[in-house]
Amino acid sequence: MTIAEQAQQLQALADEVPVGQAEAIRGQLESMAQQVTGILGETASAQELHGHIGAVSNEVGTVTAGLEHLRQMVIDKAAYHQQ
């Protein structure tokens, strides 16, 4: 395999990092929070659920940032191999 082929494969691999899927999960969590409010109103149960949804959303945000960093690292390696 040539260096150019390695660079192409790395670029394709970068496109497979599931950043969009992680972002979609955060959107689903936001929707869930709105639905909880619609179902339970402003109750203690709703607030408890909102707290947990927010905590999970933050964790997904951390995962999203990690995935984006990984994607950028792979892109950088591909660019290095193209030189």
Side-chain angles (χ1 to χ4, degrees):
M1 177 181 311
T2 68
I3 293 174
E5 290 170 331
Q6 289 175 336
Q8 287 175 336
Q9 287 186 348
L10 284 171
Q11 188 61 48
L13 186 62
D15 293 338
E16 292 181 28
V17 178
V19 175
Q21 291 173 351
E23 290 171 345
I25 291 170
R26 285 190 86 181
Q28 290 171 324
L29 290 169
E30 289 175 18
S31 175
M32 182 180 286
Q34 292 173 353
Q35 291 177 49
V36 165
T37 300
I39 295 167
L40 297 176
E42 296 296 327
T43 62
S45 292
Q47 289 178 356
E48 183 180 1
L49 287 170
H50 282 287
H52 195 67
I53 290 169
V56 171
S57 182
N58 288 340
E59 290 178 23
V60 172
T62 300
V63 169
T64 301
L67 288 169
E68 181 56 39
H69 182 72
L70 172 61
R71 187 183 76 79
Q72 191 58 54
M73 287 179 64
V74 175
I75 289 169
D76 292 346
K77 296 299 179 189
Y80 176 79
H81 277 73
Q82 288 175 339
Q83 295 177 354

